[in-house]
Amino acid sequence: VAISPYFTHHDEKVFVNANRFDPRRWMDGFSLPLHTFGGGKHMCLGRQLAVAELKVALALMVAMFDFEVVPPTEVTLDYSQPN
């Protein structure tokens, strides 16, 4: 038995408009099935390294840049067209 992360993450039954970039689909949490690193006892060995790298990258960004809250701005983005 094998699971393909690509096909699982692009399944229209699971993700509405699966091929469209839509960061809002994650606003309510991660209840949708993600198999990026696999699962079980044969999970990807690089998972812990990837998580550590994300934490280091976030820490560097916080240390190197000044962040501020800005007033809401209406922006319309169209991700349906390729670059």
Side-chain angles (χ1 to χ4, degrees):
V1 176
I3 295 175
S4 169
Y6 178 84
F7 289 112
T8 302
H9 296 165
H10 288 83
D11 186 353
E12 291 285 338
K13 292 180 229 163
V14 178
F15 299 102
V16 178
N17 296 320
N19 291 314
R20 184 173 155 233
F21 176 74
D22 184 12
R24 290 173 298 211
R25 74 178 59 175
W26 307 112
M27 296 296 285
D28 294 330
F30 292 93
S31 61
L32 298 171
L34 289 175
H35 303 290
T36 307
F37 294 105
K41 63 181 179 178
H42 299 291
M43 187 179 291
C44 177
L45 295 174
R47 179 178 182 273
Q48 296 299 324
L49 175 62
V51 170
E53 288 178 338
L54 286 170
K55 290 177 181 179
V56 168
L58 179 61
L60 286 171
M61 286 179 19
V62 169
M64 295 174 67
F65 298 98
D66 294 324
F67 294 92
E68 62 185 57
V69 178
V70 296
T73 305
E74 185 70 33
V75 177
T76 304
L77 301 175
D78 183 10
Y79 294 109
S80 62
Q81 300 295 322
N83 291 340

